[in-house]
C-alpha cells in the first residue's frame, strides 16, 4: 500500500536527510535482565552483545531486535561512570535516539552550524566487517541523537559488538514492526524552544499542535506539538505541562525523571489485537479506560474492520481523522519510576495521534497517579 503523507510534510526544509530510526539505547541498571524482559515480554530477538568479552571495559550492552526496531540495553560495570550517574539521576531511561543517515559528518556539521550542542564529533569505528561513522548532538535533557552512517557495514550491529545467540530461549516476536513516533516531555515554557530546535537544526516541520483545551481533563492539562522530518519517518511530539487543578502526568514525569526526557516510544504493528493479546499473555500491563468507552466509540469513529468485543477485551482505543483511523494502547511505565512507557499503534490510513482518546486516556493516567499519590 502506498501511503501518501499530508501536504504539510512537504514544507519540511529537510536539509538533513534521515532514513529512519537506527536504534534506541537505554541506560539501565541491569542490562542482562532488561534484555531478558524485552525478549520474554515484548518478543524481541537476541542480536548483539558487547562487554568484557569483546574488549569493552566499562560497560555491557545487549542489543535486541524485532523487525526494524533495535533496542540497546547498556549498564556500567563499575561505579562512578557517566552511565551510572545517568541511571542514578534518571532511573532506567532512553539516552540515545540514533538516526540513520547517509553522511554522519555532514549531519553533524550542519546541526552544529545551526546551533546544536555537540555530544560526539564524527568518528570512524571499524572492525573486520567494515566501517561505520558516528556523530552526535544533544537534544532535550541529557538525551542525545547519534547519527549513524552505515556505509556498507556487514557486521551484526556496530563495530565492537559480536553476534548474541541464545540457543534455547528465543520467544516468538509479537508483531512489532518499526518506531512510529517518540514523545518527549519538556519543562514548562520549553515546548516552543524545542520545536524551534528541530525546525532550525534538523529541518523538521511542526505538523500538529494541541493546546491545553485539546488535552485536558477536569484536573490536569498539557500542551503538545509534533515535529516531523519530510519523509515522515521521524516524528517527535513534544509535551509541556499546562496549568491545571492538579499535577499533570508531564509534571510527574519531570519530577521522577529529574529532568526532560523521552516519555513514550510508539511502535507500529499490523495487527494490534494479536500483538496486544500476545503482550498481555506475557505480562505487559496496559492502561485501561472504563468499559463505558466502548458504549459510544463507534458513534465517534464510525465503521471499523475490528470486532468491538476484542478491542474491549484488551482495552484498545480507536480514533479517526480525515484520512482514516488508528488503533492504539499504552503500557504502564516499564521501570520503577513513573517515567517511560510504550504505545502500540496500528494505523489504518490515519496520520494523527489519537486526539479523540486524549481525555479518556489522561483520566486513566490520573487514576494511576492517584494510586501513586502524585496527582
Ligand atoms: Fe504517542
Amino acid at each position: 500500500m502506498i501511503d501518501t503523507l499530508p501536504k504539510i510534510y512537504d514544507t519540511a526544509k529537510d536539509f538533513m536527510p534521515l532514513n529512519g530510526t537506527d536504534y534506541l539505547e537505554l541506560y539501565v541498571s541491569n542490562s542482562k535482565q532488561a534484555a531478558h524482559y524485552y525478549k520474554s515480554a515484548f518478543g524481541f530477538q537476541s542480536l548483539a552483545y558487547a562487554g568484557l568479552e569483546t574488549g569493552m571495559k566499562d560497560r555491557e550492552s545487549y542489543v535486541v531486535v524485532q523487525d526494524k526496531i533495535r533496542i540497546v540495553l547498556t549498564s556500567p560495570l563499575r561505579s562512578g561512570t557517566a552511565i551510572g550517574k545517568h541511571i542514578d539521576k534518571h532511573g532506567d531511561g532512553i539516552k540515545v535516539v540514533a538516526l540513520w543517515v547517509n553522511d554522519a559528518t555532514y549531519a553533524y556539521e550542519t546541526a552544529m552550524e545551526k546551533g546544536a550542542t555537540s555530544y560526539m564529533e564524527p568518528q570512524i569505528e571499524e572492525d573486520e566487517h567494515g566501517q561505520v561513522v558516528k556523530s552526535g548532538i544533544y537534544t532535550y535533557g541529557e538525551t542525545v541523537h547519534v547519527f549513524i552512517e552505515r556505509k556498507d557495514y556487514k557486521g551484526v550491529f556496530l563495530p565492537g559488538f559480536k553476534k548474541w545467540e541464545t540457543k534455547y530461549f528465543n520467544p516468538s516476536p509479537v508483531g512489532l514492526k518499526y518506531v512510529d513516533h517518540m514523545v518527549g516531555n519538556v519543562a514548562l515554557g520549553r515546548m516552543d524552544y524545542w520545536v524551534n530546535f528541530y525546525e532550525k537544526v534538523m529541518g523538521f516541520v511542526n505538523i500538529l499542535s494541541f493546546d491545553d483545551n485539546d488535552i485536558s481533563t477536569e484536573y490536569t492539562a498539557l500542551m503538545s506539538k509534533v515535529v516531523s522530518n519530510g519523509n515522515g519517518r521521524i516524528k517527535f511530539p513534544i509535551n509541556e505541562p499546562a496549568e491545571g487543578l492538579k499535577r499533570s502526568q508531564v509534571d510527574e514525569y519531570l519530577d521522577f525523571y529529574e529532568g526532560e526526557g523521552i516519555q513514550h516510544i510508539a511502535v507500529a504493528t499490523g495487527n494490534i489485537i494479536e500483538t496486544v493479546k500476545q503482550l498481555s499473555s506475557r505480562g505487559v500491563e496496559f492502561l485501561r479506560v472504563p468499559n463505558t468507552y466502548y458504549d459510544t466509540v463507534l458513534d465517534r469513529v464510525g465503521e471499523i474492520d475490528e470486532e468491538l468485543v476484542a478491542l474491549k477485551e484488551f482495552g484498545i482505543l480507536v480514533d479517526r481523522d480525515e484520512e482514516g483511523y488508528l488503533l492504539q494502547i499504552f503500557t504502564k511505565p516499564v521501570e520503577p519510576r513513573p517515567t517511560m512507557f510504550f504505545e502500540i499503534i496500528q494505523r489504518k490510513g490515519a496520520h494523527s495521534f489519537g486526539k479523540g482518546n486524549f481525555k479518556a486516556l489522561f483520566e486513566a493516567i490520573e487514576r494511576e497517579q492517584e494510586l501513586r499519590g502524585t496527582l
Side-chain angles (χ1 to χ4, degrees):
M1 186 179 91
I2 295 169
D3 189 32
T4 317
L5 290 170
K7 288 258 175 291
I8 180 95
Y9 287 81
D10 296 340
T11 63
K13 292 200 180 65
D14 236 11
F15 47 74
M16 186 188 293
L18 302 171
N19 301 324
T21 309
D22 195 285
Y23 65 86
L24 304 172
E25 183 170 21
L26 281 73
Y27 283 174
V28 298
S29 54
N30 190 330
S31 56
K32 187 174 283 196
Q33 291 186 5
H36 188 82
Y37 172 74
Y38 281 97
K39 286 175 64 178
S40 59
F42 280 87
F44 282 84
Q45 312 294 304
S46 305
L47 179 68
Y49 168 83
L52 292 172
E53 296 84 344
T54 66
M56 192 86 94
K57 298 273 188 274
D58 65 336
R59 68 184 71 180
E60 180 179 68
S61 296
Y62 288 86
V63 189
V64 293
V65 64
Q66 188 162 182
D67 204 333
K68 292 194 172 61
I69 313 162
R70 282 189 290 231
I71 296 181
V72 183
L73 300 149
T74 298
S75 293
L77 292 172
R78 298 182 185 283
S79 66
T81 63
I83 299 169
K85 284 176 189 151
H86 195 280
I87 296 166
D88 185 43
K89 184 171 172 68
H90 303 295
D92 288 7
I94 296 184
K95 174 64 178 179
V96 180
V97 174
L99 303 169
W100 174 31
V101 298
N102 292 335
D103 188 338
T105 308
Y106 169 81
Y108 178 84
E109 282 169 359
T110 307
M112 292 303 291
E113 216 169 83
K114 292 175 184 291
T117 304
S118 176
Y119 171 65
M120 181 198 294
E121 287 185 8
Q123 59 185 55
I124 296 171
E125 294 186 4
E126 61 187 329
D127 62 13
E128 68 271 29
H129 304 293
Q131 275 190 350
V132 169
V133 185
K134 277 173 147 184
S135 62
I137 59 168
Y138 275 93
T139 175
Y140 41 71
E142 291 196 85
T143 317
V144 300
H145 290 310
V146 170
F147 301 115
I148 302 284
E149 175 187 341
R150 293 194 161 271
K151 296 178 177 278
D152 53 354
Y153 185 70
K154 300 279 192 301
V156 63
F157 177 55
L158 287 172
F161 285 80
K162 66 169 191 183
K163 190 169 173 52
W164 177 33
E165 274 176 303
T166 40
K167 192 170 174 192
Y168 298 112
F169 186 67
N170 300 293
S172 56
V174 299
L176 303 177
K177 296 158 94 81
Y178 58 88
V179 174
D180 185 277
H181 61 274
M182 269 166 287
V183 180
N185 280 340
V186 302
L188 185 66
R190 297 292 282 173
M191 177 179 67
D192 284 328
Y193 173 88
W194 288 109
V195 167
N196 185 256
F197 168 87
Y198 280 105
E199 288 173 336
K200 193 179 74 173
V201 171
M202 295 174 75
F204 282 31
V205 60
N206 177 199
I207 55 166
L208 275 173
S209 302
F210 305 101
D211 63 21
D212 46 345
N213 294 316
D214 295 319
I215 316 182
S216 65
T217 67
E218 191 184 343
Y219 297 120
T220 67
L222 63 91
M223 296 189 288
S224 190
K225 286 186 177 177
V226 185
V227 291
S228 173
N229 73 330
N231 65 20
R233 290 188 205 160
I234 310 290
K235 294 188 287 285
F236 294 142
I238 298 168
N239 297 333
E240 78 168 47
E243 202 67 44
L245 283 176
K246 296 190 178 185
R247 291 173 70 242
S248 78
Q249 50 170 301
V250 181
D251 292 309
E252 186 194 38
Y253 176 99
L254 294 169
D255 184 15
F256 278 91
Y257 198 70
E258 295 193 19
E260 302 177 337
I262 291 187
Q263 178 213 39
H264 76 263
I265 304 160
V267 286
T269 168
N271 184 343
I272 196 166
I273 294 172
E274 199 44 48
T275 295
V276 173
K277 187 177 173 183
Q278 280 290 328
L279 291 169
S280 301
S281 74
R282 297 170 188 212
V284 175
E285 293 186 309
F286 293 96
L287 276 177
R288 293 299 300 230
V289 296
N291 280 338
T292 51
Y293 172 92
Y294 297 93
D295 297 345
T296 54
V297 67
L298 294 183
D299 301 337
R300 180 164 61 80
V301 303
E303 224 173 89
I304 54 172
D305 303 333
E306 293 72 18
E307 292 280 352
L308 192 61
V309 59
L311 302 181
K312 187 173 176 177
E313 159 89 23
F314 296 108
I316 296 163
L317 311 175
V318 197
D319 196 27
R320 185 179 285 280
D321 62 23
E322 311 76 46
E323 295 156 318
Y325 69 98
L326 61 82
L327 302 126
Q328 61 185 169
I329 191 168
F330 298 82
T331 73
K332 292 185 180 181
V334 292
E335 58 288 303
R337 303 189 195 192
T339 50
M340 201 264 286
F341 56 89
F342 286 88
E343 171 181 356
I344 314 297
I345 185 166
Q346 181 178 6
R347 295 188 179 278
K348 300 189 106 172
H351 288 97
S352 53
F353 294 84
K355 182 180 167 185
N357 292 322
F358 288 169
K359 190 161 189 284
L361 198 60
F362 296 157
E363 285 169 352
I365 294 175
E366 284 169 11
R367 285 192 293 279
E368 300 281 316
Q369 283 182 268
E370 184 84 74
L371 293 172
R372 295 192 280 262
T374 59
L375 186 60

